[in-house]
Amino acid sequence: MKISYHWLNDYLPTGFSAEETARLLTDCGLETEGIETAESVPGGLRGLFIGEVKEKAKHPNADKLSLTKVDVGGPELLSIVCGAPNVEAGQKVVVAVVGTIVHPTSGEPFEIKKSKIRGELSEGMICAEDEIGLGKSHDGILVLPADAQVGMRAAEYFKLESDQVLEIGLTPNRADAASHFGVARDLSAVMLAQTLRNDPTAEHQAAKLPQMFAFSDDLNPSSVSVELQNPEACIRYSGVMISGIEVKPSPAWLQRRLSAIGVRPINNVVDVTNYVLHELGQPLHAFDADKIAGKKVIVRKVDEGTPFVTLDGVERKLAAQDLMICDTEKPMCIAGVFGGLHSGVSENTKAIFLESACFEPVHVRKTSKRHTLKTDSSFRFERGTDPNLTMVALQRAAWLLNEVANGEVSSAPIDIYPTPVEATEIAFSYSYCDALIGKAIERSLIRKILLALGIEIVHESNDALLLAVPPFKVDVKREADVVEEVLRIYGYNNIGFPEQVRGSLSYAPTPDAERAQTTIANLLAAQGFQEMVNNSLTKAAYYEGLNLVENTSAVELLNPLSSDLSVLRQTLLFGGLEVITYNQNRRQLDLRLYEFGKVYRKKNDVPENIWPYEEERRLMVLMTGRKQPESWNTSNDALGFFDLKNTVHQILQRVGISEGVKSENINDAFIVEGLLYKNGKRELVRFGKATKALLKKTDTNAVVWIAEFNWDTVMHLLAKSKGVHFSEVPKFPAVRRDLALVLDRQISYQELEQLAYQTERKLLRHVNLFDVYEGDKIGKEKKSYALSFTLQDENATLTDKEIEKVMERLAKAYTEKMGAQIRS
């Protein structure tokens, strides 16, 4: 949210700089994320001066150019070549000196350089109004009155205004600060607290409301009536007729204010409604009174599928739950969200019906999300507006419309308020406040802070207050909320650290999940992996046609922020692929990434008394690109399956998981050329190459190797494992023997490895596949594996006879159980 520094000072002249104001706001919970300078003219006319043309002569080499000598208040006259037909000696002009960045009305900024034009020196530029952003005319140079002072800065001469704009990161609970006046109210309370710490007798400098129109009692009844059919969706509806409107561009001051905070000026009537919205936080809407059929405004819901053309020219199909502002014939506006194309203000408008309402937040939020419409009005209504502000906003708008559009209030205001919203009464205890904050704040200071925030003290006793919290404080509903209000105004930084630290021993679960995660994170980081943290919310479209876990579905949000954040993730994969796509679009092609996170799913067809939601912890590892960074002394080999498999094995080895793991080949919607490791029926990790269909969903144009660990299974096995233990270096040597086997092609290396360990449990230490051959010499359905076997006895040196017996048993097992042929 953008807040104008000058605008803010209209309600609360602080005397602080914009930087100091930003610091105070940040300290009270309105975090200022940045300060920008807003200028009424781009560039602020910097480097431009008032000059006088002293001499003019014809350019010797160009008929349409003139040689001039110009005085800009410096020690010497400037030689400037000018092509304007109206340049004459004695004129007062605007001059851009060498080094100035000129910002034209249209086109890109450019720098004035010392140069030669057709052989003659030019040390600046005599400017036309469109060349410096002051207008659109390019008929000739801008000639100023004779009394213009030579050497004066152009910005000073034209009385340009600049403003500083504070960018505030407004949190969703702070609807009361979604306006300049709301921010001023908080700032005044902070200033009071700051002053009272030094001067207990200081008075509160409250933020002052702007000028208002006073509705008199002798006004005629309104020619437009209002009917409220859905009071559950519209808490309060106010309106007034304003006649004699002259629709035209807004005055410069109003345009500057709106432009500074990023709002595009449209016309004086629309600009006033936008101005009041950002000033007071109350959205307004102006209807052309002549376009209201039957001279009646009806607040109601319409039939499902009713077509409605909004201000952007788009025809939308309304839902039966959408609250609409209608006349007797048609809908005119989506309540609290967006106006209609055919009922708004135009250049022919002479009278308006000005609406100021308080709509129920949930209705507005659902309608806004349903139609993917985010507006300044919906932003405020979704968070909750003050029902007591509707008439105040009308009075302010009526005064402004009289000033800028000659509008006159032509009837008594209409105000429909079926069930007035009462202040929330909260019991507040000083001792509770002290305990929660950790510091005893002076009681008088607490009372003054509460009053400065608009919270009324109904009753007071020795240790307690009965408070009446106004409706605009939508997030203050309980005692702890009041304590938070006191603390943020008092200042979090004013709460010191205790001199003593008290602690107690606590039971540490085994295994330590945080320690295990940190261990693996360090392992991966040491190998060049980078950690990523992605949003748990993702696109529902990613999971269309996918059945990750049988008889489960995605957990959908009831009120999603957007279609891109409509479900909870069922896998970490899509977030990782989005990161890869983002980086590759920025030419970062070699990536090794990992993420720890949770995934979620909903079990289908479960009884109502059973909680249907599940969540699991996962570890995702992704690899793409080259094995090594590009260099003259390294190869450009791409990462492959065995690089990924090596990483998977290192992770399992690091947490001490080596036994009871079985593997299966997998080719599914996510992975091809992959493996699935399981422990019993528990999935441990699945890894392999991402499918093309999967990569297409995230527009990823690369080969990506993925591994997703079920971290819950890892922790389960870690609890049962013996961990990593030291063992002494063997005293007796190991022996290696090799076997070459001709096998059927469908037999895997894992089967050979498992059979070897089953056959020789005592002496076999390691099995390795070191050569594979497939070719016509051994048959099309055959392959040759060359295996090495490492044998070792921890208590004695192996004899040749012992070694031969082991190898004979292995050869026999492979021959009888695998149908292998032993190659000599």
Side-chain angles (χ1 to χ4, degrees):
M1 183 183 70
K2 295 182 184 294
I3 294 294
S4 161
Y5 172 70
H6 285 168
W7 197 347
L8 188 64
N9 276 268
D10 284 352
Y11 317 116
L12 186 70
T14 63
F16 296 134
S17 66
E19 290 73 17
E20 180 64 12
T21 301
R23 185 188 67 78
L24 291 174
L25 291 175
T26 298
D27 287 348
C28 75
L30 298 176
E31 182 180 359
T32 305
E33 298 172 342
I35 302 176
E36 298 176 352
T37 299
E39 297 170 322
S40 55
V41 174
L45 301 184
R46 284 184 291 275
L48 276 69
F49 298 88
I50 307 303
E52 181 179 1
V53 181
K54 293 294 189 180
E55 300 176 13
K56 174 196 171 184
K58 189 177 182 300
H59 195 295
N61 302 318
D63 294 337
K64 295 184 178 181
L65 299 179
S66 300
L67 303 180
T68 65
K69 295 287 186 179
V70 184
D71 180 12
V72 293
E76 298 179 357
L77 299 181
L78 298 180
S79 298
I80 298 178
V81 177
C82 181
N86 64 331
V87 63
E88 296 292 344
Q91 291 175 335
K92 298 292 179 67
V93 294
V94 179
V95 179
V97 299
V98 172
T100 299
I101 304 295
V102 175
H103 296 258
T105 300
S106 60
E108 296 296 321
F110 60 92
E111 182 179 355
I112 301 299
K113 297 180 180 179
K114 187 175 182 179
S115 61
K116 284 192 174 183
I117 301 176
R118 294 291 184 93
E120 297 294 332
L121 179 66
S122 185
E123 300 174 297
M125 182 177 75
I126 304 174
C127 304
E129 66 176 43
D130 70 323
E131 292 171 330
I132 54 176
L134 288 178
K136 297 181 180 179
S137 173
H138 195 69
D139 295 337
I141 59 170
L142 179 61
V143 180
L144 305 178
D147 60 354
Q149 183 180 341
V150 172
M152 178 183 283
R153 293 183 180 275
E156 182 182 352
Y157 176 82
F158 289 104
K159 298 180 180 179
L160 290 191
E161 292 185 8
S162 64
D163 195 0
Q164 289 176 289
V165 178
L166 285 62
E167 183 70 43
I168 293 178
L170 192 69
T171 52
N173 63 315
R174 292 304 313 279
D176 61 302
S179 66
H180 283 75
F181 184 77
V183 172
R185 181 170 50 215
D186 263 21
L187 187 58
S188 72
V190 173
M191 290 170 58
L192 173 66
Q194 190 177 58
T195 306
L196 287 174
R197 282 196 292 272
N198 301 317
D199 180 10
T201 63
E203 294 295 325
H204 178 217
Q205 181 187 359
K208 295 181 180 179
L209 282 168
Q211 288 180 286
M212 304 281 177
F213 180 88
F215 294 130
S216 62
D217 295 332
D218 57 355
L219 289 169
N220 295 323
S222 175
S223 58
V224 174
S225 62
V226 176
E227 180 185 349
L228 179 55
Q229 293 186 1
N230 294 92
E232 80 284 355
C234 180
I235 299 167
R236 186 175 187 178
Y237 193 94
S238 307
V240 69
M241 281 289 298
I242 299 180
S243 305
I245 293 288
E246 296 179 20
V247 179
K248 56 186 178 182
S250 296
W253 70 266
L254 180 52
Q255 293 195 41
R256 284 197 299 269
R257 283 278 170 94
L258 294 177
S259 297
I261 60 172
V263 177
R264 180 176 63 88
I266 298 173
N267 60 52
N268 52 356
V269 176
V270 175
D271 292 350
V272 163
T273 62
N274 286 331
Y275 187 87
V276 173
L277 179 147
H278 290 278
E279 180 179 52
L280 301 177
Q282 173 60 46
L284 303 174
H285 190 77
F287 297 97
D288 189 325
D290 294 332
K291 298 177 182 177
I292 301 177
K295 296 301 178 184
K296 185 174 185 178
V297 171
I298 307 171
V299 184
R300 65 184 179 89
K301 296 179 180 180
V302 297
D303 295 334
E304 183 77 29
T306 300
F308 179 67
V309 181
T310 47
L311 273 173
D312 54 3
V314 177
E315 181 176 289
R316 305 175 191 274
K317 299 296 183 183
L318 300 175
Q321 297 80 25
D322 295 334
L323 186 68
M324 303 296 297
I325 311 300
C326 309
D327 58 22
T328 56
E329 297 178 356
K330 61 188 181 300
M332 297 189 296
C333 173
I334 303 177
V337 180
F338 211 28
L341 183 63
H342 304 300
S343 61
V345 174
S346 68
E347 59 185 12
N348 299 318
T349 298
K350 300 301 180 187
I352 63 169
F353 179 76
L354 189 61
E355 168 195 279
S356 179
C358 178
F359 298 110
E360 197 274 328
V362 174
H363 276 82
V364 175
R365 187 181 304 121
K366 288 184 176 181
T367 296
S368 175
K369 301 299 185 293
R370 190 178 297 119
H371 297 290
T372 62
L373 287 171
K374 295 293 293 182
T375 62
D376 286 334
S377 293
S378 68
F379 176 86
R380 285 156 179 82
F381 281 127
E382 287 175 18
R383 286 156 175 77
T385 58
D386 182 6
N388 296 330
L389 197 60
T390 61
M391 291 299 293
V392 176
L394 280 184
Q395 291 176 282
R396 176 58 172 160
W399 189 89
L400 287 169
L401 287 169
N402 180 256
E403 288 289 310
V404 305
N406 298 320
E408 296 288 343
V409 174
S410 56
S411 67
I414 296 171
D415 187 24
I416 302 176
Y417 199 1
T419 307
V421 178
E422 301 293 339
T424 303
E425 290 196 347
I426 298 176
F428 175 82
S429 164
Y430 289 123
S431 56
Y432 176 78
C433 181
D434 295 344
L436 202 58
I437 291 177
K439 177 180 180 179
I441 301 174
E442 293 181 17
R443 290 1 185 183
S444 61
L445 179 54
I446 291 177
R447 289 193 297 272
K448 289 182 179 181
I449 287 175
L450 293 173
L451 293 172
L453 290 172
I455 298 174
E456 181 185 351
I457 299 175
V458 178
H459 180 73
E460 183 174 0
S461 63
N462 290 334
D463 185 59
L465 301 173
L466 180 61
L467 306 175
V469 179
F472 67 79
K473 288 283 183 185
V474 295
D475 67 322
V476 180
K477 299 297 182 187
R478 54 185 183 146
E479 187 179 9
D481 298 332
V482 178
V483 176
E484 182 185 2
E485 291 290 286
V486 172
L487 178 56
R488 68 180 185 83
I489 298 301
Y490 180 77
Y492 296 100
N493 294 332
N494 295 314
I495 306 299
F497 291 100
E499 295 181 357
Q500 294 181 339
V501 177
R502 296 180 175 87
S504 60
L505 295 176
S506 61
Y507 168 75
T510 303
D512 187 332
E514 185 174 345
R515 182 178 179 182
Q517 182 172 319
T518 301
T519 299
I520 297 306
N522 290 337
L523 170 70
L524 292 170
Q527 296 184 4
F529 283 82
Q530 293 179 304
E531 186 172 10
M532 54 185 174
V533 180
N534 290 301
N535 198 335
S536 296
L537 302 177
T538 186
K539 296 180 183 179
Y542 283 154
Y543 300 96
E544 291 177 357
L546 297 178
N547 186 17
L548 299 182
V549 178
E550 188 176 352
N551 202 33
T552 63
S553 59
V555 179
E556 298 180 2
L557 271 66
L558 293 177
N559 190 26
L561 291 172
S562 71
S563 58
D564 287 345
L565 302 170
S566 59
V567 298
L568 288 170
R569 63 189 178 190
Q570 295 177 266
T571 173
L572 303 183
L573 181 55
F574 290 115
L577 291 178
E578 286 178 347
V579 171
I580 288 178
T581 301
Y582 180 88
N583 280 273
Q584 287 183 335
N585 290 340
R586 288 153 182 79
R587 306 305 302 160
Q588 301 298 314
L589 305 179
D590 303 327
L591 300 168
R592 300 183 186 212
L593 307 167
Y594 74 94
E595 178 181 14
F596 288 95
K598 289 185 177 181
V599 299
Y600 312 85
R601 57 178 174 262
K602 179 182 179 182
K603 294 184 288 186
N604 300 327
D605 304 326
V606 297
E608 291 185 1
N609 61 333
I610 301 296
W611 182 251
Y613 302 104
E614 296 179 328
E615 62 180 59
E616 290 179 345
R617 290 174 294 175
R618 297 283 179 88
L619 165 62
M620 169 62 67
V621 176
L622 300 100
M623 306 167 67
T624 184
R626 292 181 294 243
K627 292 184 179 181
Q628 296 174 305
E630 186 177 20
S631 176
W632 64 272
N633 63 348
T634 60
S635 66
N636 285 325
D637 293 344
L639 289 163
F641 174 80
F642 292 103
D643 299 296
L644 178 66
K645 184 179 180 182
N646 180 54
T647 300
V648 169
H649 281 213
Q650 286 189 52
I651 292 172
L652 296 178
Q653 184 180 19
R654 187 65 186 84
V655 294
I657 298 174
S658 58
E659 298 178 356
V661 177
K662 296 182 179 180
S663 69
E664 299 175 6
N665 294 327
I666 54 170
N667 285 283
D668 55 26
F670 288 89
I671 294 175
V672 293
E673 303 175 18
L675 289 176
L676 168 64
Y677 284 177
K678 300 176 72 174
N679 177 261
K681 294 184 178 181
R682 291 174 177 263
E683 281 197 13
L684 180 59
V685 57
R686 51 175 58 227
F687 61 97
K689 184 166 71 173
T691 63
K692 291 182 179 179
L694 186 67
L695 298 175
K696 187 177 180 180
K697 286 178 178 284
T698 55
D699 296 323
T700 306
N701 297 314
V703 175
V704 180
W705 299 94
I706 58 178
E708 188 166 23
F709 290 80
N710 187 320
W711 198 247
D712 287 335
T713 302
V714 172
M715 296 306 298
H716 172 75
L717 295 178
L718 184 57
K720 296 168 58 177
S721 72
K722 299 177 181 179
V724 179
H725 296 279
F726 169 78
S727 59
E728 293 185 3
V729 177
K731 297 179 180 179
F732 301 97
V735 177
R736 167 176 164 162
R737 291 291 186 268
D738 298 340
L739 277 180
L741 309 173
V742 178
L743 306 149
D744 293 338
R745 292 187 63 181
Q746 67 269 20
I747 296 176
S748 67
Y749 165 71
Q750 184 184 22
E751 293 176 278
L752 300 177
E753 184 182 46
Q754 290 175 349
L755 181 58
Y757 286 119
Q758 291 171 3
T759 303
E760 178 53 53
R761 300 177 183 272
K762 181 181 177 182
L763 302 179
L764 183 59
R765 296 288 178 265
H766 182 63
V767 183
N768 182 50
L769 173 65
F770 65 88
D771 188 46
V772 178
Y773 171 75
E774 294 183 22
D776 296 337
K777 294 182 179 179
I778 58 174
K780 292 183 179 181
E781 299 302 320
K782 297 289 185 179
K783 61 183 176 183
S784 174
Y785 274 0
L787 304 178
S788 65
F789 301 88
T790 302
L791 307 175
Q792 189 175 40
D793 189 337
E794 295 179 355
N795 301 312
T797 301
L798 289 173
T799 64
D800 290 341
K801 187 175 181 181
E802 291 173 320
I803 295 170
E804 290 304 319
K805 283 184 178 180
V806 171
M807 295 309 297
E808 286 175 3
R809 286 200 302 273
L810 289 172
K812 183 178 180 182
Y814 286 138
T815 302
E816 294 179 353
K817 296 183 180 181
M818 296 291 183
Q821 298 177 16
I822 308 299
R823 298 180 64 191
S824 57

